[in-house]
């Protein structure tokens, strides 16, 4: 994982989701197909109420890792929150 992903994880654990989102976006600017960064970004976006944007990240992660259960699970959760 890249430095920005790790920094984003630290900010998320501290509850500073807005800064975490910025770090995850920087990570994705360098590694566009980073599934871990997409999932982490989506989780942080849910925490700040940006659910439609989070859903986009989870859907992208599903495209990149079709065999992985985590993007599907998080996408389902985001859809649940939208209702």
């Amino acid at each position: 994982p890249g430095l920005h992903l790790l920094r984003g994880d630290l900010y998320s654990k501290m509850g500073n989701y807005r800064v975490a989102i910025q770090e995850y976006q920087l990570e994705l600017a360098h590694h566009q197909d980073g599934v871990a960064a997409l999932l982490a970004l989506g989780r942080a976006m849910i925490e700040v109420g940006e659910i439609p944007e989070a859903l986009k990240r989870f859907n992208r992660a599903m495209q990149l890792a079709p065999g992985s259960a985590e993007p599907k699970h998080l996408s389902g959760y985001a859809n649940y929150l939208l209702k």
Side-chain angles (χ1 to χ4, degrees):
L3 174 63
H4 293 291
L5 177 62
L6 297 174
R7 288 180 60 163
D9 289 346
L10 289 173
Y11 283 116
S12 278
K13 286 184 185 349
M14 294 186 317
N16 195 342
Y17 298 107
R18 295 270 178 213
V19 177
I21 287 170
Q22 292 173 353
E23 290 294 334
Y24 294 137
Q25 288 171 333
L26 286 170
E27 178 70 18
L28 288 166
H30 295 99
H31 307 284
Q32 294 176 346
D33 294 339
V35 173
L38 285 165
L39 296 177
L41 176 57
R43 280 192 220 97
M45 288 177 157
I46 284 176
E47 292 294 333
V48 298
E50 296 178 11
I51 297 163
E53 289 300 314
L55 189 55
K56 291 179 188 176
R57 295 339 184 266
F58 298 146
N59 288 337
R60 177 69 180 138
M62 281 192 289
Q63 292 173 345
L64 294 171
S68 177
E70 189 174 10
K72 295 172 188 163
H73 169 77
L74 290 169
S75 179
Y77 179 62
N79 275 303
Y80 168 77
L81 292 175
L82 284 174
K83 297 186 188 238

